[in-house]
């Protein structure tokens, strides 16, 4: 399936990746090559086959409801790009 | 000292032939001397390593040393290490000083192993040549014009050149086995769930697994003894007892049933590689093994299915890199969207971006069933192939990669040709099985790996089978002349 | 034109676990920013979620509470979108296989009719953090303490036809979660939040109209107002020949209007897929039975028992059973006072709840405890004080605390039951009211009943309210012949 330029712009936006207009044709071409490879899947006979999400058949283990964490805000915020008064700063969020 | 295996070094420490500090200095010196040619380390933690080594010597003097106390190793830069940069080979995390240790690192520290540093890797483990690293490509010690394989290329090259006696790696589609093969070392990808993923920066969560990269199967067994085990912080970790992997290394191979999948010996396999594999199989026959021809009919679908599932999971796993709480943030963002798009656009390299885009596309409305769901069904077909095979055989053997090392830049222009170099390893991750690569000869002067695939949680047998081969061959003891 | 409003609610309930749904961080409201945000809550590289058992148990209890199917196997999925309060860039939620399947809640409308509202599903998910919009040099501040708080999202069928029905449904859900003790249901603190899907259609039309979703309405009163104002807006639009665009709107309580949100307006594509870090959740019959055994009596059963066993009116039963804490309070008062349930009910639903409402207090904050109120009613039952004096004692208890007995004692409020003393007062009143006596004696039975009030009033006044009313009546009846 051929990918169109506008598809790439759309998924780049969904993924919040800056791809400039100048880059889009080359990116589209490369992604199309990968999609061609992926297209081989369509020929596989998978009627009645259960999708496999995990390599093991195990079920989720449940954790006892216990508080195990202490406040390590200073450690964690030391590596943050922008903080003030204990808050992470980002450009204004508009609702 | 660097010509010794991990096991040999453990002996040398135990018999006080050498102290951990001396040993650590020796390897740090080798890194200083040789790594400029290889670029296998992103960070060398000299001061911390010497501290750990001194502590190890103190512990030994106090009679509190374990088997591996004081032995130096290197960690792939995908494992979080408290207070040490954990970059994952990416500009995105070039400034990321991890605030915690991965379980693997924690276990290694507890066992007294000394961390020499963090090894280079393909960015976010996405690659098969180590060329996608933000820190530049790693060179193959056997010929520095060639790639060492990837994504654990730094670990592979460091061990191959004996800049570290052993290292950790991770394997999502072949990232331990393929570089082990191309660099001429022994690498094991355990069963999914055998080693904790806590603190290992995720690429594709349902495929990622950490494992040892070492000179020998015996060394790999020693390391797996430390790495493996249940971790309550990882929901996908399996609570099955960890055997002593060294205990069964010498078991006889008499009557071992080796399956050779015909799909692993078809078109695309380099003749030199095929010869090495056939020679190795003859060695096994001499050791008493029986050869059974088998079929894994859906092997050809493993690459297309992988390139849906792995990018889909990655596209989501990598969303947390948004310039808000850690990592790279673009300069003076205009608004929130600009912050996201430029931080991610500037922080991620091309291959990572490609995979995020493919994964986003595969999960997006209208394509989910055709791509993601279809790939998950194919994944089941691949697993079913293996289940059927293991009803008939004890292990499966074949080449690890279709070729020996390729030249730097050779496959850079065409991502798909790079993807195809994982044709024999990817299906193992899809099924979640353990796989091992060991050196089994050379093609055009470059190492060739033999892959051994086992049934679920059958790592002990893989190591046993590999070890017996290494008792009768010497490929694993050879090291590149330039690094002797 | 006759319009009909169609409403479905999505209710988010924060579960009152000790720790978060996927991490060991404390789950509590009001801490300093980001002091309850651990590696996992911050979405640090390499971290992994492990599911909190109690969150699962609470979801099962809710399912049982609304007569729903509990899924033997449910799956967590990732909902992918970028937002600064969402640290991982995805929310762990449930999509195709939620933990709680179809159930229902019965609501009682004002005219007494009962309506059954379908619950489509309820699923577990993690809450997001908060964006604070105070000015940080033109930037927003992000607090991730709330990130990872366990949420149960309860999705109703579009079964409601008026704002009143929606509020009744929301109150019923509130009542159930409080009974099950799975959430404090505090809407002001965001423990219970409501999104209202509203559409309108011509009466008789079968097809639903285009809906708009009113996000995050945070009180019962605002739910009612927001739905009404939104429905009216849609009717006005349609009547002006315009079409409704599906979108998300915010309710502005100050202006009493709804308006479309500026952000998130692009068609969302959440790219749901099963979370590979979490395995399928298996719920066994055994686990369900264990949970069933811990279930308390639920509102509907309680109302039935109050009306049957305790002989309360339906109105009283509903008022008292609506909140588990109120019902418990009431039952304690009945037990400890020895009063007839109806008498205890009057005190609890009348005096107590009235005073609490007036002072904007919850039952938990009541200055008068159930034991204190029972102590007071006990003294009415044993004739130590009259009902009228009791009101005075209640006010004293409310303002200054203490026990009914100590107040009665110190203020000398004990009822006069000495026949001689009351007779003296009766004689005094009769003697000083010759006209009224004459009027009374000339009147017939019916008029006498009215006229006797004058004498009782005078006697009570002279006794400072302490004369036993029964004795006063008896003595008067004997003397006024």
């Amino acid at each position: 399936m051929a990918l169109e330029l506008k598809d790439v712009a759309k998924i780049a936006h969904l993924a919040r990746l800056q791809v400039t207009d100048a880059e889009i044709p080359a990116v589209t071409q490369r992604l199309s090559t990968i999609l061609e490879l992926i297209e081989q899947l369509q020929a596989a006979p998978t009627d009645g086959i259960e999708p496999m999400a995990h390599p093991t058949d195990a079920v989720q283990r449940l954790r006892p409801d216990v508080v195990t964490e202490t406040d390590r805000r200073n450690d964690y915020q030391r590596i943050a790009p922008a903080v003030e008064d204990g808050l992470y700063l980002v450009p204004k969020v508009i609702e | 000292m660097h010509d010794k295996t991990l096991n040999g070094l453990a002996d040398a420490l135990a018999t006080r032939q050498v102290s951990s500090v001396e040993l650590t200095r020796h390897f740090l010196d080798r890194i200083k001397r040789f790594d400029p040619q290889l670029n296998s380390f992103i960070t060398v933690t000299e001061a911390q390593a010497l501290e750990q080594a001194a502590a190890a010597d103190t512990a030994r003097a106090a009679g509190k040393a374990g088997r591996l106390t004081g032995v130096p190793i290197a960690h792939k830069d995908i494992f979080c290490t408290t207070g040490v940069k954990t970059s994952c080979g990416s500009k995105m995390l070039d400034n990321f000083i991890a605030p915690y240790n991965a379980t693997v690192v924690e276990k290694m520290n507890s066992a007294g192993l000394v961390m020499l540093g963090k090894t280079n890797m393909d960015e976010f483990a996405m690659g098969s040549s180590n060329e996608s690293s933000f820190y530049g490509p790693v060179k193959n010690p056997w010929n520095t014009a060639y790639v060492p394989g990837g994504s654990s290329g730094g670990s592979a090259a460091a061990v191959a050149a004996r800049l570290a006696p052993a290292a950790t790696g991770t394997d999502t589609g072949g990232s331990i086995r393929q570089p082990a093969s191309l660099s001429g070392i022994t690498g094991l990808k355990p069963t999914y769930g055998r080693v904790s993923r806590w603190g290992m920066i995720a690429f594709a969560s349902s495929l990622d697994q950490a494992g040892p990269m070492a000179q020998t199967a015996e060394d790999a067994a020693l390391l797996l003894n430390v790495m493996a085990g249940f971790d309550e912080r990882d929901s996908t970790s399996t609570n099955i007892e960890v055997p002593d992997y060294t205990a069964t290394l010498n078991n006889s191979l008499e009557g071992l049933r080796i399956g050779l999948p015909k799909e692993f010996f078809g078109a695309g396999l380099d003749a030199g590689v095929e010869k090495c594999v056939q020679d190795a199989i003859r060695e096994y026959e001499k050791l008493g093994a029986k050869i059974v021809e088998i079929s894994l009919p859906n092997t050809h679908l493993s690459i297309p299915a992988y390139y849906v599932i792995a990018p889909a999971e990655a596209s989501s796993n990598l969303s947390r890199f948004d310039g808000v709480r850690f990592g790279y943030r673009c300069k003076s963002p205009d608004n929130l969207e600009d912050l996201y798009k430029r931080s991610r656009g500037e922080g991620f390299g091309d291959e990572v971006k490609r995979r995020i885009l493919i994964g986003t596309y595969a999960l997006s409305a209208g394509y989910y069933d055709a791509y993601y769901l279809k790939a998950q069904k194919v994944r089941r077909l691949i697993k079913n192939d293996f289940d059927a095979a293991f009803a008939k055989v004890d292990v499966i053997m074949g080449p690890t990669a279709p070729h020996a090392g390729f030249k730097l830049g050779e496959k850079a222009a065409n991502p798909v040709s790079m993807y195809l170099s994982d044709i024999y390893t990817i299906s193992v991750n899809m099924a979640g099985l353990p796989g091992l690569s060991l050196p089994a000869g050379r093609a055009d002067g470059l190492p060739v790996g033999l892959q051994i695939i086992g049934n679920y949680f059958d790592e002990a047998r893989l190591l046993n089978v590999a070890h017996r081969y290494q008792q009768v061959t010497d490929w694993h003891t050879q090291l590149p002349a330039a690094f002797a | 034109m006759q319009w009909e409003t169609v409403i479905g609610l999505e209710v988010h309930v924060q579960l009152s676990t000790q720790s978060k749904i996927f991490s060991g961080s404390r789950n509590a409201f009001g801490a300093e920013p980001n002091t309850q945000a651990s590696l996992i809550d911050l979405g640090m590289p390499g971290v992994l979620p492990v599911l909190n058992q109690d969150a699962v148990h609470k979801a099962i209890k809710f399912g049982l509470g609304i007569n729903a199917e509990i899924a033997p196997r449910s799956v967590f999925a990732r909902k992918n979108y970028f937002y600064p309060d969402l640290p991982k860039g995805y929310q762990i939620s449930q999509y195709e296989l939620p933990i709680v399947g179809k159930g229902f809640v019965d609501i009682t409308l004002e005219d007494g009719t009962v309506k059954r509202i379908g619950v489509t599903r309820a699923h577990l998910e993690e809450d997001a953090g908060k964006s604070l919009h105070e000015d940080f040099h033109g930037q927003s501040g992000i607090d991730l303490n709330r990130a990872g708080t366990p949420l149960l999202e309860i999705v109703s069928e579009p079964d409601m036809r008026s704002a009143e029905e929606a509020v009744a449904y929301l109150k019923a859900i509130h009542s159930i979660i409080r009974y099950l003790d799975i959430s404090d249901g505090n809407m002001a603190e965001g423990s219970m939040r409501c999104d209202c899907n509203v559409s309108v259609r011509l009466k008789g039309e079968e097809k639903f109209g285009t809906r708009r979703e009113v996000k995050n309405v945070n009180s019962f009163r605002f739910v009612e107002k927001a739905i009404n104002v939104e429905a009216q807006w849609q009717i006005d639009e349609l009547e002006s020949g315009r079409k409704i665009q599906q979108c998300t709107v915010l309710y502005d309580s100050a202006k009493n209007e709804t308006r479309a949100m500026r952000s998130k307006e692009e068609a969302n594509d959440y790219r749901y897929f099963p979370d590979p870090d979490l395995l399928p959740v298996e719920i066994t019959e055994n686990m369900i039975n264990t949970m069933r055994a811990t279930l308390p009596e639920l509102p509907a059963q309680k109302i039935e028992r109050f009306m049957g066993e305790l002989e309360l009116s339906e109105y009283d039963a509903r008022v008292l059973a609506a909140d588990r804490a109120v019902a418990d309070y009431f039952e304690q008062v009945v037990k400890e006072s020895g009063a007839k349930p109806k008498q205890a009910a009057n005190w609890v639903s009348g005096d107590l709840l009235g005073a609490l409402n007036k002072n904007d207090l919850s039952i938990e904050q009541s200055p008068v405890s159930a034991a204190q109120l029972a102590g007071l009613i006990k003294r009415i039952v044993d004739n130590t004080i009259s009902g009228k004096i009791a009101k005075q004692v209640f006010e004293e208890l409310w303002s200054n605390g203490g026990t009914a007995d100590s107040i009665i004692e110190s203020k000398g409020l004990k009822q006069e039951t000495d026949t001689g003393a009351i007779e003296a007062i009766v004689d005094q009143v009769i003697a000083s009211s010759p006209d009224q006596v004459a009027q009374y004696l000339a009147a017939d039975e019916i008029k006498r009943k009215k006229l006797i009030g004058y004498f009782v009033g005078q006697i009570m006044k002279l006794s400072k309210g302490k004369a036993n009313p029964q004795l006063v009546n008896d003595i008067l009846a004997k003397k006024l012949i």
Side-chain angles (χ1 to χ4, degrees):
Chain A
M1 178 195 293
L3 206 53
E4 291 181 35
L5 301 184
K6 65 170 171 37
D7 297 329
V8 174
K10 196 190 123 203
I11 56 177
H13 174 68
L14 268 181
R16 298 298 186 274
L17 284 176
Q18 186 181 51
V19 181
T20 63
D21 289 350
E23 292 166 326
I24 282 192
V27 171
T28 306
Q29 191 270 322
R30 287 207 161 185
L31 294 184
S32 296
T33 321
I34 299 169
L35 284 177
E36 264 170 47
L37 171 81
I38 292 171
E39 272 317 298
Q40 295 172 24
L41 283 178
Q42 303 314 327
T46 53
D47 285 354
I49 302 293
E50 191 65 22
M52 176 172 160
H54 291 282
T56 53
D57 292 329
V59 297
Q60 179 62 36
R61 188 165 36 80
L62 302 178
R63 175 177 65 80
D65 180 26
V66 179
V67 175
T68 53
E69 298 294 325
T70 51
D71 171 23
R72 289 186 58 200
R73 184 175 80 182
N74 289 345
D75 289 346
Y76 300 154
Q77 295 201 336
R78 197 168 296 135
I79 52 172
V83 288
E84 192 172 309
D85 296 343
L87 297 162
Y88 293 96
L89 295 190
V90 296
K92 199 126 196 96
V93 176
I94 301 160
E95 291 213 326
Chain B
M1 274 297 154
H2 58 271
D3 56 352
K4 285 196 193 309
T5 61
L6 196 76
N7 190 43
L9 293 174
D11 283 341
L13 285 164
T15 54
R16 316 284 169 105
Q17 288 171 51
V18 67
S19 72
S20 175
V21 169
E22 287 165 340
L23 204 51
T24 301
R25 275 194 206 287
H26 179 73
F27 282 102
L28 288 169
D29 288 347
R30 283 184 66 76
I31 293 169
K32 254 179 228 156
R33 185 166 148 218
F34 292 113
D35 204 44
Q37 299 168 55
L38 297 178
N39 195 29
S40 66
F41 279 84
I42 290 172
T43 305
V44 179
T45 49
E46 179 167 351
Q48 190 183 320
L50 290 170
E51 246 172 67
Q52 277 187 317
D57 287 333
T58 308
R60 189 171 295 283
K64 288 179 186 154
R67 179 75 186 136
L68 296 179
T69 300
V71 178
I73 49 151
H75 287 306
K76 185 176 182 179
D77 206 19
I78 199 169
F79 294 101
C80 285
T81 41
T82 308
V84 175
K85 177 163 98 173
T86 301
S87 75
C88 225
S90 182
K91 178 181 177 184
M92 182 59 87
L93 291 178
D94 185 46
N95 61 0
F96 181 65
I97 309 297
Y100 75 110
N101 274 331
T103 297
V104 163
V105 172
E106 204 61 62
K107 280 171 172 277
M108 293 287 194
N109 288 348
S110 301
L113 286 131
V114 173
M115 179 174 86
L116 296 167
K118 311 285 297 286
T119 58
N120 203 343
M121 56 183 284
D122 277 302
E123 185 180 8
F124 284 101
M126 296 176 189
S128 309
S129 67
N130 221 305
E131 292 170 292
S132 76
S133 171
F134 172 64
Y135 301 93
V138 179
K139 318 286 169 51
N140 191 321
W142 294 91
N143 182 337
T144 53
Y146 282 72
V147 303
S151 68
S152 311
S155 288
V159 175
R162 308 295 193 258
L163 305 190
T168 52
T170 62
D171 189 318
T172 305
S175 281
I176 287 175
R177 292 158 290 157
Q178 187 259 15
S181 171
L182 268 54
S183 300
I185 64 165
T186 306
L188 169 67
K189 180 204 96 75
T191 307
Y192 183 83
R194 179 76 290 186
V195 176
S196 169
R197 294 189 296 116
W198 173 262
M200 184 177 123
I201 299 175
F203 160 14
S205 311
S206 77
L207 301 161
D208 295 344
Q209 185 62 199
M213 302 180 77
Q215 296 165 44
T216 65
E218 185 174 42
D219 286 1
L222 281 166
L223 284 174
L224 190 61
N225 276 350
V226 177
M227 294 173 83
F230 173 67
D231 183 358
E232 59 182 22
R233 287 172 297 190
D234 176 359
S235 296
T236 62
S237 162
T238 306
N239 198 352
I240 292 181
E241 207 186 325
V242 180
D244 176 358
Y245 292 108
T246 62
T248 46
L249 287 173
N250 288 305
N251 282 4
S252 161
L253 302 188
E254 196 63 52
L256 179 82
R257 296 168 302 166
I258 298 175
L260 300 184
K262 61 173 193 259
E263 293 79 6
F264 281 27
F265 295 88
L269 177 61
D270 176 89
V273 172
E274 179 164 14
K275 186 182 178 303
C276 292
V277 172
Q278 296 296 1
D279 288 349
I281 287 160
R282 263 189 293 284
E283 285 297 333
Y284 277 109
E285 285 182 298
K286 284 189 221 158
L287 290 166
K290 304 255 174 308
I291 304 304
V292 182
E293 186 171 313
I294 58 166
S295 175
L296 299 169
N298 291 292
T299 300
H300 68 289
L301 293 173
S302 61
I303 290 187
Y306 176 88
Y307 279 96
V308 171
I309 291 170
E313 292 183 8
S315 71
S316 176
N317 283 334
L318 270 59
S319 290
R320 69 190 62 203
F321 303 103
D322 59 4
V324 176
R325 298 163 318 286
F326 46 76
Y328 179 79
R329 176 181 218 157
C330 67
K331 293 265 177 301
S332 8
D334 294 338
N335 52 45
L336 196 55
E337 191 171 305
D338 189 42
L339 167 75
Y340 287 147
K341 289 189 172 173
R342 277 204 293 127
S343 297
R344 292 165 60 76
E346 295 164 13
F348 291 135
D350 288 344
E351 181 62 22
V352 171
K353 282 191 263 194
R354 262 198 293 280
R355 297 207 197 185
I356 290 175
L357 291 172
I358 285 289
T360 303
Y361 184 66
L363 290 174
S364 64
Y367 299 102
Y368 180 86
D369 287 4
Y371 290 127
Y372 189 75
L373 207 61
K374 183 79 180 179
Q376 280 202 327
K377 290 177 181 173
V378 169
R379 186 172 185 181
R380 172 91 50 201
L381 293 178
I382 292 165
K383 176 192 156 48
N384 291 348
D385 284 356
F386 278 111
D387 286 347
F390 281 115
K392 286 182 275 187
V393 301
D394 302 309
V395 294
I396 294 169
M397 283 188 193
T400 304
H403 44 66
F406 47 90
K407 281 196 172 131
L408 285 156
E410 187 181 321
K411 293 180 193 281
N414 184 354
V416 169
S417 74
M418 183 84 80
Y419 298 171
L420 294 175
S421 79
D422 292 330
I423 175 80
Y424 306 130
T425 48
I426 275 179
S427 56
V428 176
N429 299 78
M430 298 292 269
L433 293 164
L436 178 149
S437 178
L438 77 171
R442 274 201 276 288
D444 298 327
L446 290 165
V448 169
L450 170 75
Q451 182 175 214
I452 314 174
I453 302 163
N455 211 338
Y456 295 101
F457 298 99
D458 214 3
E459 286 82 2
R461 194 199 302 258
L462 288 189
L463 291 161
N464 160 224
V465 171
H467 179 71
R468 291 303 300 253
Y469 175 82
Q470 291 181 334
Q471 297 305 101
V472 296
T473 57
D474 67 353
W475 298 112
H476 59 287
T477 65
Q478 302 177 13
L479 87 164
F483 302 91
Chain C
M1 276 179 281
Q2 272 282 79
W3 294 95
E4 178 177 59
T5 309
V6 175
I7 304 151
L9 298 188
E10 287 169 26
V11 181
H12 288 85
V13 171
Q14 287 185 336
L15 301 177
S16 53
T17 51
Q18 295 300 307
S19 64
K20 293 190 178 175
I21 184 165
F22 298 118
S23 83
S25 304
R26 186 174 300 284
N27 171 25
F29 180 81
E32 281 292 298
N34 290 308
T35 55
Q36 287 174 182
S38 68
L39 293 168
I40 293 173
D41 312 315
L42 293 170
M44 284 281 174
V47 301
L48 297 167
V50 184
L51 182 58
N52 183 337
Q53 169 175 277
D54 197 44
V56 172
H57 288 175
K58 286 183 156 67
I60 296 172
K61 281 189 188 177
F62 178 77
L64 294 173
I66 60 157
N67 316 289
E69 309 148 18
I70 309 295
R73 194 177 174 85
S74 63
V75 168
F76 281 96
R78 294 184 182 179
K79 178 181 183 179
N80 295 283
Y81 65 96
F82 285 87
Y83 210 65
D85 64 12
L86 189 71
K88 299 184 295 297
Y90 59 85
Q91 178 193 29
I92 305 177
S93 181
Q94 297 190 304
Y95 186 55
E96 281 183 337
L97 295 169
I99 187 162
V100 176
K102 274 188 187 307
F104 62 84
V105 170
D106 287 335
I107 60 170
T108 307
L109 304 176
E110 227 157 78
D111 64 2
T113 56
V114 172
K115 182 168 175 178
R116 178 157 290 187
I117 306 296
V119 172
T120 317
R121 58 182 282 168
H123 65 253
L124 282 168
E125 61 184 24
E126 56 180 346
D127 208 344
K130 280 182 186 165
S131 306
L132 306 176
H133 306 296
E134 291 102 84
D135 205 19
F136 293 97
H137 335 290
Q139 306 186 77
S140 291
I142 308 297
D143 175 9
L144 297 171
N145 279 347
R146 197 179 69 175
T149 297
L151 284 182
L152 190 65
E153 178 175 337
I154 304 155
V155 183
S156 83
E157 295 286 327
D159 283 352
M160 289 153 275
R161 295 292 175 269
S162 68
E164 293 71 29
E165 288 184 17
V167 171
Y169 166 78
L170 194 59
K171 284 189 169 163
I173 294 288
H174 187 259
S175 176
I176 289 169
I177 62 169
R178 295 261 298 164
Y179 264 82
L180 295 171
D181 198 19
I182 61 174
S183 170
D184 66 18
N186 187 330
M187 291 186 84
E189 289 180 0
S191 307
M192 180 163 137
R193 313 194 287 268
C194 184
D195 300 337
C196 315
N197 285 301
V198 181
S199 65
V200 298
R201 62 179 173 188
L202 283 174
K203 253 211 156 85
E205 176 70 56
E206 285 199 8
K207 254 182 66 189
F208 290 131
T210 304
R211 66 188 160 86
R212 303 211 308 167
E213 183 180 7
V214 190
K215 273 268 176 216
N216 250 331
V217 196
N218 60 10
S219 79
F220 294 116
R221 203 158 56 88
F222 289 163
V223 165
E224 181 163 2
K225 292 175 96 172
I227 291 172
N228 282 331
V229 73
E230 171 63 20
Q232 192 54 52
W233 181 88
Q234 291 187 16
I235 291 167
D236 292 347
E237 287 290 291
L238 292 169
E239 287 187 344
S240 321
R242 285 187 286 270
K243 282 190 170 160
I244 306 294
Q245 300 291 329
Q246 185 167 338
C247 72
T248 303
V249 301
L250 284 177
Y251 172 66
D252 181 334
S253 55
K255 295 184 182 157
N256 193 34
E257 64 177 29
T258 52
R259 59 169 177 270
M261 286 171 79
R262 274 189 284 170
S263 62
K264 293 182 180 172
E265 83 273 28
E266 74 210 55
N268 275 315
D269 185 345
Y270 291 124
R271 291 156 285 138
Y272 281 100
F273 75 106
D275 190 330
D277 287 332
L278 291 160
L279 301 173
V281 179
E282 199 174 80
I283 293 168
T284 59
E285 203 53 44
N286 205 359
M287 203 194 279
I288 295 174
N289 288 335
T290 310
M291 287 298 112
R292 202 190 303 276
T294 68
L295 287 190
E297 183 183 43
L298 288 169
Q301 300 159 296
K302 204 170 282 256
I303 289 167
E304 216 160 276
R305 181 166 61 82
F306 283 0
M307 288 168 66
E309 215 174 284
L310 303 188
E311 298 178 321
L312 296 187
S313 69
E314 181 174 342
Y315 177 81
D316 280 346
R318 285 197 183 284
V319 168
L320 293 169
D323 187 280
R324 184 180 177 177
V326 171
D328 288 348
Y329 187 108
F330 162 69
E331 296 216 65
Q332 193 187 339
V333 169
V334 173
K335 201 172 137 209
E336 292 185 14
S337 67
K340 283 217 165 64
K342 173 66 189 164
Q343 190 177 13
N346 287 345
W347 274 95
V348 174
S349 66
D351 302 85
L352 181 79
L353 291 184
L356 289 173
N357 277 341
K358 208 169 85 189
N359 292 284
D360 207 16
L361 296 174
S362 72
I363 187 90
E364 287 86 354
Q365 297 165 310
S366 172
V368 179
S369 70
Q372 284 172 303
L373 185 58
L376 170 61
I377 299 172
K378 206 190 238 171
R379 295 295 163 249
I380 309 172
V381 174
D382 69 9
N383 276 328
T384 306
I385 53 171
S386 66
K388 199 167 171 194
I389 290 291
K391 308 268 175 192
Q392 210 179 312
V393 178
F394 179 77
E395 272 171 30
E396 188 63 25
L397 281 174
W398 181 276
S399 324
N400 298 317
T403 64
D405 286 349
S406 64
I407 293 165
I408 293 165
E409 183 63 41
S410 67
K411 303 231 166 199
L413 297 174
K414 202 166 174 219
Q415 195 159 239
E416 185 59 78
T417 52
D418 175 352
T419 318
I422 296 174
E423 264 189 18
I425 300 171
V426 172
D427 288 344
Q428 198 188 328
V429 170
I430 290 176
S432 60
S433 318
D435 293 355
Q436 284 83 352
V437 172
Q439 218 180 337
Y440 177 86
L441 291 174
D444 61 20
E445 265 317 292
I446 297 165
K447 277 195 177 155
R448 277 185 173 192
K449 275 197 177 146
K450 282 187 184 167
L451 290 167
I452 200 148
Y454 164 79
F455 298 102
V456 175
Q458 291 298 310
I459 294 160
M460 289 315 253
K461 205 166 159 187
L462 279 175
S463 74
K464 300 201 171 85
K466 290 188 288 184
N468 180 310
Q470 192 57 50
L471 281 175
V472 171
N473 277 327
D474 290 353
I475 294 166
L476 263 178
K478 270 187 238 154
K479 302 243 171 190
L480 285 174
I481 297 175

